[in-house]
């Protein structure tokens, strides 16, 4: 498989990516209330992904390859093209500017970390989870 094939695999139907991460699909606005409540017990990460964007695909693959702390955080995946209203509500509810790709960490009902594009770094997220 070529490098380009690996980066662009499943580009037609990538609602929930295949990876070692057990992504929870974020497909309903009501899940945001659940995420807020859960964040009091365990950190929650939200990865916002554009299925039409090569930069987003690359950031997602790199994150999936490097992330090793799934047992310490709940990981939600948002296909923001299919669920734009949820993406907009995330921006409003957590006081962050919409980006794609974007990674947020929710703790104690607040976004305590949010990065986008090339700043998405699995190791940095793992450090923030521990704080």
């Amino acid at each position: 498989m070529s490098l380009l094939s690996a980066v662009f695999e499943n580009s037609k139907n990538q609602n929930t990516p295949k990876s070692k991460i057990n992504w929870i699909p974020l497909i309903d606005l009501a899940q945001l209330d659940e995420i807020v409540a859960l964040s009091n017990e365990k950190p929650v990460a939200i990865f916002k992904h554009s299925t039409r964007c090569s930069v987003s695909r690359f950031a997602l693959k790199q994150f999936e390859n490097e992330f090793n702390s799934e047992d310490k955080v709940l990981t939600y995946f948002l296909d923001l093209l299919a669920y734009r209203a949820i993406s907009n509500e995330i921006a409003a509810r957590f006081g962050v500017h919409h980006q794609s790709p974007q990674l947020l960490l929710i703790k104690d009902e607040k976004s305590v970390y949010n990065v986008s594009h090339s700043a998405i770094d699995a190791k940095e997220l793992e450090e923030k989870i521990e704080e």
Side-chain angles (χ1 to χ4, degrees), residues 31-53:
Q31 286 177 280
L32 292 179
D33 292 331
E34 176 183 302
I35 286 169
V36 168
L38 290 170
S39 74
N40 288 307
E41 308 289 325
K42 188 173 189 177
V44 177
I46 301 172
F47 195 104
K48 293 172 45 182
H49 172 61
S50 171
T51 55
R52 289 189 211 143
C53 175

Side-chain angles (χ1 to χ4, degrees), residues 51-100:
T51 55
R52 289 189 211 143
C53 175
S54 61
V55 171
S56 190
R57 265 191 303 276
F58 183 78
L60 175 62
K61 291 295 180 192
Q62 184 172 350
F63 179 80
E64 290 176 323
N65 288 335
E66 295 175 357
F67 186 66
N68 292 314
S69 293
E70 188 176 8
D71 58 326
K72 298 177 183 173
V73 66
L74 298 170
T75 50
Y76 282 80
F77 177 84
L78 175 66
D79 173 346
L80 66 88
L81 296 178
Y83 301 100
R84 183 58 190 232
I86 297 173
S87 180
N88 292 341
E89 182 61 22
I90 288 170
R93 188 175 295 208
F94 297 111
V96 298
H97 182 72
H98 164 77
Q99 296 285 324
S100 170

